[in-house]
Amino acid sequence: MFSSSALEGIKKCKFECRYSENPQLYPEADVAIFHARSFQKMDPILSANQKPERLNVFYALEAAANERISGRGIPKDFFNVTMTFRKDSTIWRPYDKFEKIRSKEAGNDRLVWTDEQIDKVIEKKSELALQFVSNCKTHSKREKYLAALNKFTNITIYGKCNKQIFPYDASMKNEFEKHYFYLAFENAVCDGYVSEKFWRLKALIVPVVLKRSILKES
C-alpha cells in the first residue's frame, strides 16, 4: 500500500522524518504515499481515520492505461496530492529529465560527452536497431509497428515477445554498443509518459519513439 520507491531522497530531508510501510500507523501519519499499482482496495483503517491536514499522495510512474485503479472503493476526494510523470501533477516525478549544462561542468568529460568520446562509441556500432520488450499486447499497439518494421530490416529483440532472455549487466552494455538505434516504443501513448526506454540514450544509443510531441512537451 505504501511505497518506498517514492521516498528515495528521504535521507536528504532537512526535517526529522520517520518512514514506515506499516499501514497500521496510518492514523499517525502526516503524509501517506499510495503506489497506484500496489493499492488494491480501500482498507477500513483508511476510511475511519481521515483528517483534513494529512496529505494522501497518489503515486504513479506508469501510464493510466496500465494502472487499473478503478473499482477499489476509493472516495472521490481521498487523494489531495498527485506525484506522477505528468507535469500538471502536484509533484512532478519523471523517470528522468534533461538538465542544462552548467558552465563549471562544460569541460568535465565525466559529466558531458566530448565529440571524441561519441565518435569512439559510433565506430563500434554495426547493427541497426535494438528492443527489449516483454509486454506483447499493448494499448499503443507498438507490436504492429514492430511487425511492419521487421518486414524491411532485421531488429534485435530480447524479451518474452521474441522468446529471447534479456541480457544483463555487461551483455546489455554490449548490445547498446553494437546498435545505432533503440526502439523506445511505450506501451501506452499518454501526455508526458516517457519511461526508462527513452533514457537508454545515456548509453549513446539513439531512441526511436512513437510520438515526438510527447517528448517536446515533457
Side-chain angles (χ1 to χ4, degrees), residues 121-138:
V121 171
I122 293 174
E123 286 173 4
K124 295 179 182 179
K125 296 183 181 293
S126 58
E127 306 293 331
L128 183 63
L130 171 69
Q131 187 183 51
F132 299 149
V133 60
S134 287
N135 185 345
C136 312
K137 190 175 181 181
T138 63

Side-chain angles (χ1 to χ4, degrees), residues 110-125:
R110 295 179 60 187
L111 299 174
V112 182
W113 293 311
T114 64
D115 290 341
E116 291 77 11
Q117 287 173 320
I118 294 172
D119 288 341
K120 285 181 180 179
V121 171
I122 293 174
E123 286 173 4
K124 295 179 182 179
K125 296 183 181 293

Side-chain angles (χ1 to χ4, degrees), residues 131 133 135-152 155 161 183 185-186 210:
Q131 187 183 51
V133 60
N135 185 345
C136 312
K137 190 175 181 181
T138 63
H139 292 276
S140 65
K141 307 298 181 185
R142 66 183 176 195
E143 55 274 12
K144 292 188 176 182
Y145 289 92
L146 188 60
L149 284 170
N150 261 325
K151 294 178 181 179
F152 301 98
I155 299 171
C161 303
L183 302 184
F185 299 165
E186 302 293 358
L210 287 177

Side-chain angles (χ1 to χ4, degrees), residues 14 25 41 46 48 55 58 84 95 108 115 127-128 130 133 141 146 149 160 185 187 190 194 198:
K14 64 180 180 179
L25 296 178
K41 63 180 180 179
L46 304 180
L55 300 180
F58 176 82
T84 79
Y95 271 85
N108 188 337
D115 290 341
E127 306 293 331
L128 183 63
L130 171 69
V133 60
K141 307 298 181 185
L146 188 60
L149 284 170
K160 293 179 182 177
F185 299 165
N187 53 35
C190 299
V194 182
F198 175 79

Side-chain angles (χ1 to χ4, degrees), residues 17 26 39 64 68 76 101 103 105-106 108 113 122 132 142-143 151 159 167 178 208 214:
C17 302
Y26 177 76
F39 190 23
R68 299 182 181 88
K76 186 176 181 180
I101 298 171
S103 56
E105 298 171 337
N108 188 337
W113 293 311
I122 293 174
F132 299 149
R142 66 183 176 195
E143 55 274 12
K151 294 178 181 179
K178 286 193 299 185
V208 180
I214 290 179

Side-chain angles (χ1 to χ4, degrees), residues 22-73:
N22 181 1
Q24 299 304 313
L25 296 178
Y26 177 76
E28 304 171 27
D30 295 310
V31 180
I33 300 176
F34 298 85
H35 187 203
R37 182 160 291 187
S38 305
F39 190 23
Q40 298 300 320
K41 63 180 180 179
M42 192 70 179
D43 193 288
I45 196 172
L46 304 180
S47 53
N49 290 279
Q50 290 306 304
K51 53 183 181 181
E53 65 272 22
R54 179 187 292 116
L55 300 180
N56 288 321
V57 184
F58 176 82
Y59 171 56
L61 278 179
E62 294 301 319
N66 299 309
E67 289 293 9
R68 299 182 181 88
I69 60 171
S70 61
R72 298 181 185 175

Side-chain angles (χ1 to χ4, degrees), residues 161-196:
C161 303
N162 201 38
K163 298 180 180 179
Q164 293 285 341
I165 298 174
F166 278 121
Y168 288 100
D169 301 326
S171 297
M172 181 180 284
K173 182 175 181 290
N174 290 338
E175 291 298 328
F176 289 144
E177 289 179 347
K178 286 193 299 185
H179 292 81
Y180 289 98
F181 299 97
Y182 183 80
L183 302 184
F185 299 165
E186 302 293 358
N187 53 35
V189 179
C190 299
D191 290 345
Y193 182 54
V194 182
S195 76
E196 81 288 346

